[in-house]
Amino acid sequence: LQNVYHVKMEASAKVKNCEVTVTFDHNDLASVLNVLKSTLDLTITQKDKNLFIDGQGCENSGNGSSK
């Protein structure tokens, strides 16, 4: 996402290892973030071109997977 949308992303330790495999075809950043927020129950705060991602994590939530 950083390379495609030219944003800087920082994730909290709880969600850093969450994985999701998805393909987006010419979607705007807001649409992509909405899918990720609802899929992984994330909170995404955006200030200019900086995104901070937080949430409960994937270990015990049943959402996504963690390695």
Side-chain angles (χ1 to χ4, degrees):
L1 290 177
Q2 294 184 97
N3 294 333
V4 173
Y5 294 102
H6 308 289
V7 294
K8 182 176 178 178
M9 298 175 68
E10 183 180 342
S12 70
K14 292 183 284 186
V15 299
K16 206 167 228 169
N17 293 321
C18 292
E19 295 181 5
V20 63
T21 302
V22 63
T23 301
F24 296 101
D25 188 24
H26 305 294
N27 293 79
D28 61 24
L29 179 59
S31 297
V32 172
L33 295 177
N34 282 332
V35 169
L36 295 176
K37 287 191 313 189
S38 63
T39 302
L40 298 173
D41 196 23
L42 300 174
T43 300
I44 301 176
T45 306
Q46 183 173 0
K47 183 175 180 181
D48 300 318
K49 295 248 179 198
N50 299 304
L51 300 174
F52 182 74
I53 303 167
D54 196 13
Q56 294 300 311
C58 301
E59 300 266 341
N60 297 316
S61 68
N63 293 329
S65 64
S66 178
K67 285 187 175 182

